Amino acid sequence: MIGSRRQFLQNAALWAAGAVAALAPCRVIAAPTFLNDPFQLGVACGDPTSDGFVLWTRLAPDPFDPMALPPEAIAVNWEIATDRAMKKIVLRGQTLAHPEFAHSVHVDVNGLAPGREYFYRFHTGNAVSRIGRALTWPTPRAPADQVRLAVASCQAYDEGYFSAYRDMVAQDPAFILHLGDYVYETTRAVPVRRTPVADAYTLEEYRLLHAVYKTDPDLQAAHAHCPWVYMWDDHEVANDYAKDQAEKTQDPATFVKRRIAAYQAVYEHMPLRISARADANGRAYMFQRMDYGDLAALTLLDLRQFRDRIACQTEINHGGRVVDTTKCTEVTDAKRTVLGDTQERWFNTNFIKNPAAWNVIAQTLMLSEFDQTTDGGYGVFTDSWGGYPAARRKILNLVRDKKVANTISLGGDIHSFFVSNIRDNDKDERSNILISEFVGTSITSESTNFDLYSGFLPNNPQIKFFDDRKRGYMLCDVTRAVWKTTLRTVDDVRVRDGRFATLKTFAVENGKSGVQAG
Ligand code: FE
Ligand code: CA
């Protein structure tokens, strides 16, 4: 029986060819008997299209015991219905949960109707999962009137409870956009609750980390509620990593192995397509454009994997720090890239193709400039876009030269709400606003920069609002006429029953760039 350590029946096992490409033929357990619920990590739906989505689960009857399941594939059945009671089944199938991918299940579903609600669940042996809710998107470029999305980022498990997701589910978004730091590789503060891994380096350690995060009931409920669209930031691998280098001194080849392990653990725990799995060169392709009818085109950018190393490193710190750009000239090198050649070429073509009512750059940092000095000079945090001004400028030039209207940037990383008007020239208040930006605060990860950052604001007139004193997320209500962003907060993430409030609401009118108090 599966569920107690190394005890399992083999009578139901049979030999079969591997059903997943590139995996060798393997032994398959067709009808396992589980002692513990194998669906403890929940279910999820991701990357919706107009005719499908990816369904995810992972068999983990004992999530913290890597030996809990035998090294064999396990057959898993899935079904999709149009009703919550799962009576009107429209699609069903069988797939294999492979031991090489921690018995995770990814079903790339297509052939469904656009703009519809669906429900799904998994079966294996004697176990049945909870029912999740999925939605297909309207057909690209077909009329779509409105959508509500929630934007999350930065959820250190040990720093608090994920109660923000409870409020998010109550607000009933059509999808949740997660902009990275879904897990943290290391413990950064006095823990409110503990993870079993102090510092993740190996695949086994990253798996344990993801498993403990997925046990949070509010996070599970948010995954079951609606599809997610996800882009990683740095902490899924290591703080402030850039391409082949992390903050702390490590040989680049060793770091790349760590990165590949971390990417695999992400794939194993998220509703992602197979392209998100690292290829033979260790690269995983997460950047993509998604169209919500003709209402919003969402372009997700990977700002970590392909970027140049962080500028002006010290011998012991390869991560970000605030430098004066007049002293650290490496920052302003015109050749420095954030997107890398392939992603940049792809972005230049795809971002301008078939503009929607709203053209959204979903990136994981803050695209607005942020001069972090009070005494002259120009202070940038080298891990941020500020450390790559030439790469940032290329994005602004594209929006300006191709006249991409109604461009919205959504970001995270900085554990603060920042609302900004990104102008062609930030130093000139009469210069055209190219992008309206909303950066969301963290789900739990702390920030203690209120006084420090507030002191920089007089030098940064492009920033219209800043507050880092509360944890929370953003809720965006999008119609053809108005993009409305509501900043939602949780009063205390150190308790399970935090209370929710609206901190502020902002709006951008169609055809009129720039944020207004809403
Ligand atoms: Fe973070
Ligand atoms: Ca980050």
Side-chain angles (χ1 to χ4, degrees):
M1 267 166 277
I2 296 169
S4 60
R5 195 176 182 108
R6 276 170 245 160
Q7 279 187 305
F8 51 90
L9 290 177
Q10 298 195 345
N11 61 344
L14 53 106
W15 288 96
V20 172
L23 286 179
C26 60
R27 222 169 134 76
V28 174
I29 301 173
T33 304
F34 293 94
L35 294 179
N36 300 329
D37 178 12
F39 296 111
Q40 289 173 48
L41 302 183
V43 300
C45 168
D47 282 350
T49 64
S50 57
D51 78 336
F53 32 69
V54 177
L55 298 181
W56 171 91
T57 192
R58 185 191 149 201
L59 305 184
D62 187 348
F64 309 114
D65 178 1
M67 309 286 278
L69 291 177
E72 280 142 346
I74 298 173
V76 179
N77 298 301
W78 52 271
E79 54 188 4
I80 297 171
T82 51
D83 64 323
R84 199 177 283 272
M86 301 297 298
K87 293 264 179 344
K88 297 168 193 151
I89 305 283
V90 289
L91 218 53
R92 55 161 51 105
Q94 189 179 75
T95 186
L96 295 179
H98 282 277
E100 294 88 342
F101 292 96
H103 292 98
S104 59
V105 173
H106 296 80
V107 186
D108 191 348
V109 178
N110 43 54
L112 298 172
R116 289 272 194 88
E117 184 182 58
Y118 292 96
F119 299 88
Y120 63 93
R121 71 179 166 197
F122 299 94
H123 301 254
T124 178
N126 62 331
V128 185
S129 78
R130 73 187 286 171
I131 295 166
R133 181 170 156 266
L135 298 147
T136 52
W137 279 16
T139 308
R141 298 189 289 286
D145 295 333
Q146 62 86 33
V147 69
R148 167 175 274 196
L149 63 135
V151 187
S153 63
C154 295
Q155 49 190 44
Y157 177 89
D158 38 11
E159 290 178 43
Y161 295 98
F162 297 157
S163 32
Y165 286 114
R166 197 157 63 245
D167 182 58
M168 209 182 281
V169 168
Q171 304 295 337
D172 192 22
F175 67 98
I176 292 169
L177 174 65
H178 196 293
L179 295 177
D181 291 1
Y182 184 93
V183 298
Y184 280 71
E185 84 289 5
T186 190
T187 295
R188 307 162 344 120
V190 181
V192 174
R193 51 181 181 172
R194 290 184 183 278
T195 75
V197 186
D199 275 299
Y201 283 89
T202 65
L203 176 57
E204 288 68 28
E205 288 162 349
Y206 283 109
R207 280 174 174 164
L208 282 172
L209 207 56
H210 278 271
V212 75
Y213 276 63
K214 277 286 196 298
T215 60
D216 184 283
D218 292 316
L219 178 63
Q220 277 198 15
H223 276 295
H225 180 74
C226 63
W228 281 47
V229 175
Y230 164 68
M231 177 55 76
W232 51 38
D233 195 39
D234 54 336
H235 283 288
E236 281 86 345
V237 182
N239 186 41
D240 288 359
Y241 89 85
K243 193 158 63 183
D244 60 354
Q245 215 183 26
E247 172 189 37
K248 290 173 205 151
T249 307
Q250 206 180 12
D251 158 53
T254 307
F255 175 74
V256 168
K257 281 193 197 126
R258 180 188 185 187
R259 195 187 77 188
I260 292 169
Y263 285 179
Q264 180 168 336
V266 167
Y267 173 75
E268 290 169 351
H269 293 85
M270 295 300 262
L272 296 169
R273 290 206 166 75
I274 210 160
S275 53
R277 242 163 66 178
D279 64 14
N281 300 313
R283 293 195 189 90
Y285 292 91
M286 292 279 285
F287 59 83
Q288 61 173 328
R289 171 174 158 154
M290 301 172 68
D291 286 74
Y292 195 92
D294 66 351
L295 184 62
L298 209 64
T299 300
L300 273 94
L301 297 179
D302 182 341
L303 307 187
R304 293 288 171 186
Q305 191 179 176
F306 308 106
R307 66 155 77 178
D308 282 324
R309 290 177 177 179
I310 286 172
C312 296
Q313 301 177 353
T314 68
E315 232 166 272
I316 53 158
N317 177 16
H318 302 161
R321 63 195 178 102
V322 176
V323 300
D324 185 336
T325 55
T326 59
K327 299 197 179 93
C328 167
T329 52
E330 188 186 348
V331 163
T332 48
D333 182 341
K335 289 193 293 294
R336 282 172 60 71
T337 182
V338 168
L339 302 183
D341 288 346
T342 306
Q343 184 177 207
E344 188 175 308
R345 270 198 307 276
W346 170 86
F347 177 74
N348 290 343
T349 314
N350 284 273
F351 183 65
I352 59 170
K353 210 185 263 178
N354 302 313
W358 300 97
N359 298 290
V360 183
I361 302 174
Q363 45 93 36
T364 55
L365 304 175
M366 178 159 84
L367 191 58
S368 171
E369 291 214 35
F370 186 31
D371 175 9
Q372 299 191 37
T373 54
T374 48
D375 56 353
Y378 197 83
V380 297
F381 184 61
T382 50
D383 178 63
S384 75
W385 278 105
Y388 302 81
R392 177 183 178 276
R393 188 67 237 180
K394 283 188 198 168
I395 292 183
L396 267 52
N397 288 351
L398 185 76
V399 172
R400 182 193 62 198
D401 298 344
K402 301 294 175 185
K403 300 185 173 57
V404 184
N406 301 331
T407 301
I408 302 279
S409 165
L410 299 174
D413 176 61
I414 195 163
H415 307 176
S416 319
F417 290 119
F418 271 93
V419 177
S420 306
N421 289 334
I422 301 177
R423 292 177 188 277
D424 196 13
N425 176 1
D426 274 334
K427 281 152 208 75
D428 179 0
E429 279 284 287
R430 290 158 307 175
S431 159
N432 284 337
I433 298 169
L434 298 176
I435 303 173
S436 312
E437 181 171 67
F438 300 101
V439 171
T441 194
S442 52
I443 295 290
T444 56
S445 310
E446 73 166 19
S447 175
T448 52
N449 290 327
F450 188 74
D451 293 337
L452 179 73
Y453 286 180
S454 295
F456 300 141
L457 294 183
N459 288 342
N460 292 278
Q462 72 281 6
I463 296 169
K464 299 302 171 191
F465 181 79
F466 154 72
D467 202 335
D468 77 331
R469 292 171 296 183
K470 287 275 163 62
R471 315 283 56 87
Y473 70 99
M474 304 192 288
L475 201 60
C476 302
D477 285 293
V478 187
T479 65
R480 197 157 299 278
V482 182
W483 178 292
K484 192 175 112 183
T485 298
T486 303
L487 312 182
R488 292 289 290 171
T489 58
V490 186
D491 65 343
D492 189 354
V493 294
R494 291 166 304 175
V495 296
R496 277 188 188 277
D497 54 350
R499 281 191 301 259
F500 314 112
T502 288
L503 177 65
K504 209 98 182 162
T505 302
F506 293 91
V508 183
E509 277 175 43
N510 189 334
K512 198 173 164 217
S513 292
V515 295
Q516 303 162 14

